[in-house]
Amino acid sequence: MNASLASSSSYGFSPHSRTFTSPRSTSADAVADEHSSRAYILPRRTRGDWVALGVMLLVACAIFFINLTASRYANEFYSTAAQAGSVSWKAFLWGSLDSGNAITVDKPPAALWLMALSVRIFGLSSFAILLPEALMGVATTYLLYATVRRYWGNWAGIVTGFIFMLTPVAALMFRFNNPDALLVLLMTGATHALLRSLEYVNHPSGNRKRTWWMVLAGALIGFGFPAKQLQVLLVLPGFALAFLLASPTGMVRRILDTLAAIGSMIVAAGWWVLLTVIVPASDRPYIGWLPAQFLP
């Protein structure tokens, strides 16, 4: 594994003891460095690594961008909502199907926000509608590469990136304007944040950084709800099991970090739902995706 574990003699961390050991150096700078050190040291990229990364990203751009407009407006239901959001900020906020704000589409509006902003910038066209999807495809490919590279090396990341973007369903997903593109990007980002949280040693400095990575992971999962509702929660059991088993801290700290992630997830997922409840029905469109019994 190219991303090697830091030795206890250099960084005060042992992957077997899961504890921080006092550094031998008396230098304040050395102590601070050891306190903030990570369990994994990322290897430097060689020139060949950079070339391989560039080729991978160029291929990803080719897959997701060439002949992007072949499906024209793709899902015209969502394209219509994106057009409405491009001319009305109220329709933008609610994900309305029309600029008159009569009713929303059948999904929360997060994915529509990206398309509507693109249409506002570039004007209404098939390319403007699908541009955010293709960009998210390239971003997801790179994020997946970066996640795998940290622990298994550059070439494992390159191979993973190619496998991902050459998978037919991925090539289709990021060339179409359903909410799945944003959902997959957010879930991949949450996976990256979760794994980053496990890199820090069991020390107050490392613990604080670990907590913030968990908060980020929770926020990304939470924002997946305004993208495609409860589908984003499918990864939660695996996330919880991985963190509770692999975190280098004691059980109390693991539970606290998990609660912090859950709190950020609730905030990221719940603010828009709360908005639909507290805003009077006369001031917003009918929420087409929320069950009627939840609406005032």
Side-chain angles (χ1 to χ4, degrees), residues 115-154:
M115 290 185 282
L117 288 175
S118 179
V119 173
R120 277 184 177 268
I121 295 172
F122 300 108
L124 180 63
S125 67
S126 174
F127 180 80
I129 291 287
L130 298 175
L131 174 62
E133 316 303 311
L135 290 175
M136 285 188 284
V138 176
T140 303
T141 302
Y142 176 78
L143 192 55
L144 186 60
Y145 153 82
T147 303
V148 173
R149 174 184 177 262
R150 293 189 72 84
Y151 311 107
W152 292 280
N154 188 77

Side-chain angles (χ1 to χ4, degrees), residues 49-90:
D49 293 339
W50 283 111
V51 170
L53 173 59
V55 170
M56 185 195 74
L57 293 177
L58 285 175
V59 173
C61 290
I63 290 175
F64 297 126
F65 276 96
I66 291 179
N67 204 21
L68 177 62
T69 60
S71 59
R72 299 178 63 82
Y73 286 98
N75 189 325
E76 295 182 358
F77 184 61
Y78 296 133
S79 295
T80 301
Q83 180 189 19
S86 70
V87 298
S88 166
W89 285 114
K90 187 174 181 180

Side-chain angles (χ1 to χ4, degrees), residues 47 82 85 144 158 172 175 187 190 193 213 256 279 284:
R47 182 177 298 178
L144 186 60
I158 294 292
L172 174 63
R175 296 170 57 89
M187 294 167 73
W213 277 111
L256 291 176
V279 174
R284 57 161 173 78

Side-chain angles (χ1 to χ4, degrees), residues 244-255:
L244 292 175
L245 290 179
S247 177
T249 61
M251 185 54 66
V252 173
R253 182 73 193 198
R254 298 183 202 196
I255 293 174

Side-chain angles (χ1 to χ4, degrees), residues 17-290:
S17 66
R18 293 172 172 260
T19 58
F20 181 86
T21 58
S22 299
R24 296 178 181 180
S25 173
T26 59
S27 168
D29 291 337
V31 172
D33 180 67
E34 292 189 76
H35 286 181
S36 61
S37 65
R38 295 195 294 266
Y40 289 93
I41 301 176
L42 198 60
R44 293 181 179 273
R45 289 187 179 97
T46 65
R47 182 177 298 178
D49 293 339
W50 283 111
V51 170
L53 173 59
V55 170
M56 185 195 74
L57 293 177
L58 285 175
V59 173
C61 290
I63 290 175
F64 297 126
F65 276 96
I66 291 179
N67 204 21
L68 177 62
T69 60
S71 59
R72 299 178 63 82
Y73 286 98
N75 189 325
E76 295 182 358
F77 184 61
Y78 296 133
S79 295
T80 301
Q83 180 189 19
S86 70
V87 298
S88 166
W89 285 114
K90 187 174 181 180
F92 176 91
L93 172 63
W94 297 107
S96 297
L97 184 60
D98 64 299
S99 58
N101 292 288
I103 188 172
T104 71
V105 297
D106 63 341
K107 295 289 188 300
L112 298 176
W113 292 338
L114 301 177
M115 290 185 282
L117 288 175
S118 179
V119 173
R120 277 184 177 268
I121 295 172
F122 300 108
L124 180 63
S125 67
S126 174
F127 180 80
I129 291 287
L130 298 175
L131 174 62
E133 316 303 311
L135 290 175
M136 285 188 284
V138 176
T140 303
T141 302
Y142 176 78
L143 192 55
L144 186 60
Y145 153 82
T147 303
V148 173
R149 174 184 177 262
R150 293 189 72 84
Y151 311 107
W152 292 280
N154 188 77
W155 287 100
I158 294 292
V159 171
T160 302
F162 271 100
I163 291 174
F164 170 75
M165 63 185 169
L166 292 175
T167 303
V169 67
L172 174 63
M173 182 191 311
F174 292 104
R175 296 170 57 89
F176 208 78
N177 62 337
N178 283 340
D180 302 86
L182 178 59
L183 180 70
V184 172
L185 175 60
L186 291 171
M187 294 167 73
T188 306
T191 303
H192 183 84
L194 173 70
L195 292 175
R196 290 292 298 271
S197 76
L198 301 176
E199 295 182 2
Y200 292 93
V201 298
N202 186 15
H203 180 274
S205 176
N207 290 341
R208 286 192 297 270
K209 294 175 182 178
R210 181 183 303 105
T211 299
W212 282 113
W213 277 111
M214 286 298 291
V215 168
L216 176 60
L220 291 172
I221 290 295
F223 196 71
F225 182 86
K228 205 176 179 184
Q229 297 174 274
L230 296 178
Q231 285 89 332
V232 72
L233 301 183
L234 292 173
V235 298
L236 279 189
F239 278 20
L241 184 63
F243 185 77
L244 292 175
L245 290 179
S247 177
T249 61
M251 185 54 66
V252 173
R253 182 73 193 198
R254 298 183 202 196
I255 293 174
L256 291 176
D257 287 340
T258 301
L259 291 176
I262 292 174
S264 67
M265 180 182 69
I266 292 173
V267 172
W271 70 270
W272 196 87
V273 178
L274 179 62
L275 196 65
T276 67
V277 175
I278 63 177
V279 174
S282 59
D283 294 332
R284 57 161 173 78
Y286 179 82
I287 307 300
W289 60 270
L290 199 62

